Amino acid sequence: MNQFISSIDFKKAYNSVRREVLYKILIEFGIPRKLVRLIKMSLTETYSRVRVGENVSDRFPIRNGLKQGDDLSPLLFNFALEYEIRRVQVNQDGLKPNGTHQLLAYANDVKLGGSIHTPKENAEALVAGIWEIGLQIRADKRKYMVTSRGQNAERNHSVRIDNSTFERVEDFKYLGTTITHQNSIPEEIESRLSLENACYHSVQNLLSSRLLSKNIKIKIYRTIILPVVLYGCET
């Protein structure tokens, strides 16, 4: 049975969050109103300037979005996206990796899986929800893939969501891992070996140096090279 995975990435995610909607979401999650007021105070009356060379513009107000580089911003964005994800009515007939999930989200990268109708319906519901909090989908990141263990994956499906066509691809990366339409791993192994070779050559001078002891070289290998090869293996 063929399964479909659609990929959604948000455009300027941090800059687009509607603050008034965010405050309501925090309250619905049970965040104490005192903390919500403090968060609102930190985001209220924020201003920016644009500098071009030695010229600096007048300041202008920032009414939406989260502060770039602020430790609190990732958490606030996660609250907003988590709220919309929970509102998506997940079809129980859809794909469930590890028997539990069919909607995966990390930061602003979202994957929806299932039959041809399941990810489409879930994506439509998610797109409608994210519009409420101010997010938009990047046009160049609207993709979907048909996964099959055989060679007979159907190729005649076109997916349109929110009047936009999702591009059919044979593979894409998710959290640094290559996912292929046949659920095969040779491509990922080849990619990891290429990254490992590049990493090795970047520290080759250290590994061949006579000034460093064998133990230090082993530590360099374990802390710099090995994690590149084994990234994500435990998951």
Side-chain angles (χ1 to χ4, degrees):
M1 178 179 178
N2 296 332
Q3 297 288 341
F4 292 73
I5 302 176
S6 56
S7 175
I8 296 175
D9 197 352
F10 302 123
K11 178 172 62 176
K12 299 180 180 179
Y14 276 27
N15 297 335
S16 304
V17 176
R18 294 175 180 168
R19 295 174 180 176
E20 293 302 325
V21 177
L22 174 63
Y23 304 145
K24 296 178 181 179
I25 290 174
L26 293 175
I27 292 175
E28 290 203 27
F29 268 108
I31 304 301
R33 292 181 179 271
K34 182 178 180 179
L35 290 180
V36 175
R37 287 196 298 269
L38 291 173
I39 293 171
K40 187 174 182 179
M41 290 173 59
S42 70
L43 295 175
T44 301
E45 296 185 3
T46 54
Y47 298 87
S48 289
R49 297 177 186 268
V50 176
R51 180 173 182 175
V52 180
E54 297 181 356
N55 301 317
V56 180
S57 71
D58 296 332
R59 70 173 190 172
F60 53 89
I62 303 297
R63 297 184 176 86
N64 283 321
L66 304 172
K67 296 179 179 179
Q68 296 287 345
D70 188 355
D71 292 340
L72 194 58
S73 293
L75 183 60
L76 296 178
F77 178 81
N78 286 343
F79 271 116
L81 185 57
E82 177 69 16
Y83 177 78
E84 296 303 337
I85 288 176
R86 292 188 181 187
R87 293 176 59 185
V88 176
Q89 298 298 318
V90 180
N91 189 331
Q92 296 302 314
D93 295 329
L95 177 65
K96 295 183 180 180
N98 298 325
T100 56
H101 302 291
Q102 44 182 232
L103 191 155
L104 305 175
Y106 182 83
N108 62 335
D109 193 354
V110 179
K111 297 293 182 288
L112 297 162
S115 66
I116 179 60
H117 299 293
T118 304
K120 184 175 185 295
E121 293 172 355
N122 289 345
E124 288 175 344
L126 183 60
V127 168
I130 63 175
W131 271 102
E132 296 180 10
I133 61 177
L135 300 179
Q136 299 180 26
I137 299 177
R138 290 180 56 179
D140 59 331
K141 293 293 185 177
R142 295 186 294 236
K143 299 178 181 180
Y144 82 99
M145 179 176 66
V146 182
T147 64
S148 174
R149 293 189 180 276
Q151 301 290 333
N152 59 344
E154 299 177 39
R155 299 181 178 276
N156 58 348
H157 288 292
S158 62
V159 178
R160 291 186 61 83
I161 298 174
D162 191 35
N163 296 323
S164 301
T165 301
F166 275 51
E167 176 190 359
R168 169 76 177 272
V169 296
E170 300 299 323
D171 59 73
F172 54 66
K173 279 189 174 291
Y174 182 63
L175 303 185
T177 300
T178 302
I179 303 174
T180 68
H181 69 289
Q182 292 183 347
N183 294 319
S184 59
I185 62 171
E187 295 85 354
E188 176 63 14
I189 294 176
E190 183 178 350
S191 174
R192 292 296 177 89
L193 291 177
S194 297
L195 293 173
E196 183 271 338
N197 287 333
C199 186
Y200 169 79
H201 287 297
S202 68
V203 295
Q204 187 175 12
N205 291 337
L206 295 176
L207 296 177
S208 60
S209 174
R210 296 183 178 181
L211 300 177
L212 301 180
S213 66
K214 180 180 178 180
N215 289 336
I216 292 179
K217 292 178 181 179
I218 291 176
K219 288 182 179 180
I220 292 174
Y221 167 77
R222 289 177 175 175
T223 58
I224 298 178
I225 298 177
L226 194 61
V228 173
V229 180
L230 300 181
Y231 172 77
C233 289
E234 295 183 357
T235 58

